[in-house]
Amino acid sequence: MRRIPERSSPPEHPARRAVLRRLAALLAWAGLPSRLRAAPPASGSLPRRALGRTGVELPVLGLGGFHVGKAPTEKDARRLVETAFSEGIRFFDNAESYQKGRAERWMGAALEGIRDQVFLMTKTFDLAKRDAEGAKRHLEGSLERLRTDHLDLWQLHSVRSVADVERAFRKGGAMEYILEQKRLGVVRFVGVTGHKDPEANLRALAFWDEGWRFDVMQMPLNPIDYHQKSFQRRVLPELVRRGIGVLAMKTNAGGALASRGVCTVEESLRYVLALPVSVVISGMETPEQVRRNAAIVRESAPMSESERRALLERIAPRAGLELEWYKS
C-alpha cells in the first residue's frame, strides 16, 4: 500500500515530480500494447471545456469507472478503457468503493504507460464516519490500485444529507484531510459529489463560502432532473456563480430514460451539453457505447433553448422518482 506523507512532511518539489513522471511515462510507452499505441485517431476531436477556474481544459466526455469494474473480465475492462482513450476521452472517473477496488485495479492496469496523458479522478466514501483516518486509508489504497503517485482529482463521494456534509467538513473530518492532500501536492484538485439531495450539495457550497475551497462538484444532470429534486435548477446556478467546475453524471438516469422510452441517449447528451458543464461523465459498458457517445458529442450540436424547452415539456408527464432511484 502506498504511503501518504504525514501532515508535517514537506511536499516533494512539483518540478522534480513532474520530471520523474514524464520519464516514467516515456519508459513505459515503449512497452504499451501495439493495439493502443497504434490505434487510429477518431475522426474529429471531442470539444474541450474549462474545468471551472482550475486552468485545465478537458475533452467534454469522460468515462465512468463503475462500469469498468462491472466488465465481464479484466480484458473487457481494458478494451473499454483503450477504446475511450482512442476516441479522445481523457477524463477517467473512479471510486475506491466500486466493486471493492476492482474498478480501480483494472483501470490502473489499463492506463499504465499513458497515465500522464489522462486526467484521473477517484473518490473516498465512508458514510458512517467521514473522518480523516478513513480518507487516508482510501487514498493509500487508491494510489496503489491505480498505479500512480498522484491524482488529478480526488473527491468526497456521495454526500447524502446536510448532516452527512457536516460530518465530513468538521475538524478532523474527511474534507479537511482531502484539502490537506491538495496542499501537499498528492492531489491536484479536490471536489464533492452528491446525487441524492440538492440540500446536501448546497450545504457543501455553504462551507465553500466559509473557506473550504474545493474545485469541482459532481452531480446528476439530465432532462428529468429538471422536474424533480432538481440539481439543475437549485445547484447548477450556484456553481456557475462561484466558478466551480461542474461534472455531470447520470445524464440518462442510469439508462432509465432511454430504456423506458422517456428520451434517447442522444437527446440526453445534447440536453446536458447545452448546460454550463465542464465534463459529462458517462457510464458506458461496451466499446460500442463509447464510440456511439463519442460520435454524438463530436457530431451533434448541443440543444438550442427552444429544443430544450420542447423536450422538457414533452417528458414532464413522465416525471417520477422511480426514474431517478438514487434520489430516493
Side-chain angles (χ1 to χ4, degrees), residues 8-283:
S8 58
S9 302
E12 184 181 5
H13 193 281
R16 179 178 179 274
R17 193 175 67 198
V19 169
L20 291 174
R21 288 203 305 269
R22 284 196 295 271
L23 178 60
L26 287 171
L27 290 173
W29 182 257
L32 279 177
S34 59
R35 64 181 179 279
L36 180 58
R37 207 170 54 241
S43 57
S45 299
L46 294 172
R48 300 175 71 88
R49 294 188 182 180
L51 185 65
R53 294 178 179 172
T54 64
V56 171
E57 269 196 358
L58 291 165
V60 73
L61 184 62
L63 179 69
F66 184 79
H67 293 289
V68 173
K70 279 185 64 180
T73 67
E74 184 174 357
K75 182 177 179 180
D76 292 308
R78 180 178 290 274
R79 286 184 60 235
L80 192 61
V81 171
E82 291 177 355
T83 303
F85 186 83
S86 69
E87 288 291 328
I89 291 171
R90 294 297 180 266
F91 189 106
F92 289 83
D93 156 277
N94 222 306
E96 53 79 29
S97 58
Y98 291 165
Q99 294 87 33
K100 299 181 179 180
R102 185 173 67 231
E104 288 185 331
R105 285 195 302 273
W106 286 359
M107 182 176 283
L111 290 176
E112 195 165 28
I114 54 169
R115 165 66 186 92
D116 281 5
Q117 298 180 56
V118 304
F119 190 96
L120 184 59
M121 179 268 280
T122 196
K123 320 179 195 81
T124 172
F125 179 71
D126 183 358
L127 185 61
K129 295 183 178 179
R130 296 287 195 187
D131 62 2
E133 181 183 353
K136 180 177 187 292
R137 183 177 66 254
H138 291 166
L139 180 58
E140 289 176 341
S142 289
L143 292 174
E144 183 75 22
R145 289 186 291 271
L146 289 166
R147 306 188 187 190
T148 186
D149 66 349
H150 74 290
L151 296 172
D152 296 296
L153 174 60
W154 192 34
Q155 299 202 81
L156 179 71
H157 190 192
S158 188
V159 294
R160 305 293 180 87
S161 65
V162 167
D164 183 23
V165 172
E166 290 173 348
R167 280 197 301 275
F169 279 78
R170 73 188 188 279
K171 183 174 177 56
M175 199 65 197
E176 183 180 66
Y177 184 81
I178 289 169
L179 289 166
E180 182 71 6
Q181 295 312 301
K182 180 182 177 181
R183 286 190 288 271
L184 290 171
V186 179
V187 300
R188 293 174 65 195
F189 307 111
V190 299
V192 177
T193 89
H195 53 58
K196 185 175 179 63
D197 187 350
E199 288 295 335
N201 297 56
L202 291 171
R203 184 67 183 101
L205 288 177
F207 277 106
W208 189 94
D209 292 338
E210 295 171 12
W212 299 69
R213 294 301 176 90
F214 49 89
D215 304 290
V216 304
M217 181 172 280
Q218 183 172 338
M219 61 188 188
L221 291 170
N222 60 64
I224 213 71
D225 165 81
Y226 183 89
H227 296 292
Q228 52 195 26
K229 294 180 73 172
S230 180
F231 286 83
Q232 178 185 333
R233 291 196 289 170
R234 301 196 58 203
V235 183
L236 183 59
E238 298 300 320
L239 297 176
V240 172
R241 185 165 67 84
R242 291 166 175 81
I244 297 171
V246 181
L247 304 179
M249 64 175 167
K250 302 190 185 304
T251 54
N252 198 256
L257 303 188
S259 65
R260 301 191 190 187
V262 177
C263 61
T264 66
V265 170
E266 180 173 357
E267 285 176 319
S268 293
L269 281 173
R270 292 185 62 227
Y271 176 91
V272 176
L273 288 169
L275 302 176
V277 302
S278 301
V279 178
V280 174
I281 301 170
S282 181

